[in-house]
């Protein structure tokens, strides 16, 4: 695979040469640096690269050029379908700030940089590092050495792809039924149907229908704790858990995070989080997760993946988090396991789950629905974001909503975009009653709740985003929960928010529970798993940080 290109567009030869020099010094080993001295020349270069199927990772265009401004160049390239997915940067003067901000909305500009950018180590490279890292995550086929061979409707194959994508492992997917290369590789490996998915690392033996633990081990991801005892064990790697890890490790606590799938939680699968403070263009859940993970690793917290926690034990002053094949002991525990989507009650659904029917969706899932009709069940923000992301690739997206509209459960900015999108239809007062298909989803029966009539529709894709159920069964009876399974903390313990009615479940008469402390002293809960939490990314991050402050107070008294 040829090096991805970075294209610079500037009519000032001196500035253009300086920019190219800086880019070559930092990125010349991994990228081809291409210069254009006008908008017209840039479009010609992009046309040639497109014809040759050469990847373009980033375009940096100067705004103040004659005949075509930088925004004009970026907009025209987008309209012509050149360098699809390339990160777009505008080089501006201070007076162009308003125009640049408007371009974020109009053409999806990724960033604007003030000139001059000296020193580049502080004002240029950090921005481009982030953008190029995002490009590589979004375009795994351009850089991958890991290959996955399976067929389109494989439930385990979908799980493998999801695990790889959410752990930011680039891979190339080959359909054994449609791709000549996929069939050749399966034959070379002597893979029987039960061996699929076949995972082919660049420098390891083939993996045949691997479990997540086997996959993680082969890829060098950590699946075992390195120490016998930690100050804090964080169960769950969503926004609350990652925030706890950053604050705990940065403040000197020995810290470990246990995550059963991949970091990021439900937020990590979001195609766009547009109301998170400090990101006016929004950011993807994968981007937010990658940034958080970099901080976690920088401060030295451990991360154990592919481990499903099954129990919690008190061992004197120590808490033990149990999982299949082992346990992690810590002086305190923070529960940040979040919630999972509630199962849809529809006839035939269980047999086809993973074969065209999925709970939630990764941003990367949208690529496999190219040109198809997609059904999305749900009316909250997660469903709206998924519908908008799917609509970039699908021929049509139909949202199936039980309520009469989206107003009660979705943010206004998402409603406005859905209503304005020509490829999205909202079927209100409706629900999926049954599904059908031979080996994979082929059709749905949709009930109109207003008229009572049912309609049969052909469908290959159904993504479900309904309700939320906390993953708390593993905590046992000692940790108080409300009737729906959410963990009760702090003052709510003595206010009777649990099944125990008005009886206090707090065992220590000498002090009241800390704000995020559960009914087991030293065990805290943060984020969506907690009773009466806000269910927003920002609040989960805040609670994760607050939990560490309370852990310090607890450890100081034990």
């Amino acid at each position: 695979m040829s090096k991805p290109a970075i294209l610079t567009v500037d009519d000032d030869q001196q500035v253009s040469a300086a920019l190219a020099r800086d880019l070559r010094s930092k990125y010349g080993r991994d990228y081809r640096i291409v210069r254009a001295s006008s908008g017209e020349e840039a479009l010609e270069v992009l046309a040639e690269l497109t014809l040759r199927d050469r990847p373009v990772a980033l375009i940096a265009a100067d705004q103040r050029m004659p005949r075509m401004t930088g925004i004009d160049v970026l907009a025209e390239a987008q309209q012509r379908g050149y360098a699809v997915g390339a990160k777009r940067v505008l080089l501006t003067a201070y007076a162009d700030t308003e125009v640049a901000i408007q371009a974020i909305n109009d053409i999806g500009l990724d960033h604007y940089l003030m000139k001059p950018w000296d020193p580049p180590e502080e004002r240029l490279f950090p921005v481009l590092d982030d953008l190029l890292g995002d490009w590589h995550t979004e375009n795994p086929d351009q850089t991958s050495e890991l290959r996955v061979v399976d067929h389109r409707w494989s439930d385990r194959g979908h799980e493998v792809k999801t695990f790889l994508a959410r752990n930011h492992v680039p891979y190339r997917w080959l359909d054994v039924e449609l791709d000549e290369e996929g069939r050749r590789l399966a034959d070379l490996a002597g893979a029987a149907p039960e061996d699929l998915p076949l995972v082919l690392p660049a420098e390891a033996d083939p993996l045949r229908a691997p479990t997540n633990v086997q996959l993680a081990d082969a890829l060098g991801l950590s699946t075992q704790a390195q120490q016998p005892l930690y100050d804090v064990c964080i169960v769950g790697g969503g926004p609350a858990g990652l925030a706890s890890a950053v604050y705990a490790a940065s403040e000197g606590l020995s810290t470990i995070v246990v995550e059963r799938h991949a970091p990021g939680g439900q937020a990590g699968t979001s195609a766009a989080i547009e109301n998170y403070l400090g990101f006016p263009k929004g950011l993807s859940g994968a981007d937010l997760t990658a940034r958080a993970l970099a901080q976690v690793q920088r401060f030295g917290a451990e991360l154990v993946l592919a481990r499903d926690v099954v129990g919690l034990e008190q061992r004197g002053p120590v808490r033990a988090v149990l999982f299949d094949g082992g346990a992690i002991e810590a002086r305190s525990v923070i529960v940040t396991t979040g919630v999972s989507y509630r199962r849809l009650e529809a006839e035939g659904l269980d047999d086809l789950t993973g074969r065209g029917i999925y709970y939630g969706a990764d941003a990367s899932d949208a690529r496999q629905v190219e040109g198809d009709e997609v059904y999305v069940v749900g009316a909250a923000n997660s469903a709206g974001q998924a519908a908008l992301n799917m609509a970039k690739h699908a021929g049509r997206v139909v949202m199936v909503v039980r309520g009469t509209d989206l107003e009660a459960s979705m943010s206004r900015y998402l409603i406005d975009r859905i209503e304005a999108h020509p490829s999205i239809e909202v079927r209100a007062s409706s629900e999926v009653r049954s599904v059908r298909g031979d080996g994979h989803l082929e059709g749905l029966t949709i009930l109109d709740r207003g008229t009572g009539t049912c309609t049969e529709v052909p469908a290959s894709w159904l993504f479900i985003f309904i309700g939320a159920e906390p993953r708390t069964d593993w905590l046992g009876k000692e940790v108080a929960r409300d009737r729906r399974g959410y963990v009760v903390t702090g003052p709510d313990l003595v206010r009777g928010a649990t099944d125990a009615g008005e009886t206090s479940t707090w065992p220590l008469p000498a002090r009241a529970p800390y704000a995020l402390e559960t009914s087991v002293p030293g065990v805290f809960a943060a984020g969506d798993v907690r009773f009466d939490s806000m269910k927003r990314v920002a609040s989960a991050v805040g609670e994760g940080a607050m939990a560490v402050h309370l852990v310090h107070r607890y450890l100081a008294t034990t």
Side-chain angles (χ1 to χ4, degrees), residues 245-257:
V246 167
Y247 280 90
S250 67
E251 293 169 11
L253 298 178
S254 57
T255 304
I256 188 167
V257 182

Side-chain angles (χ1 to χ4, degrees), residues 361-404:
D362 273 333
S364 58
D365 284 335
R367 298 180 184 178
Q368 64 183 335
V369 304
E370 191 71 42
D372 293 345
E373 189 161 297
V374 174
Y375 285 79
V376 174
V377 177
N381 281 4
S382 55
Q385 289 162 347
L388 288 165
N389 188 47
M390 294 289 175
K392 296 176 184 176
H393 300 269
R396 189 168 76 114
V397 176
V398 181
M399 297 188 69
V400 181
V401 177
R402 284 176 60 90
T404 56

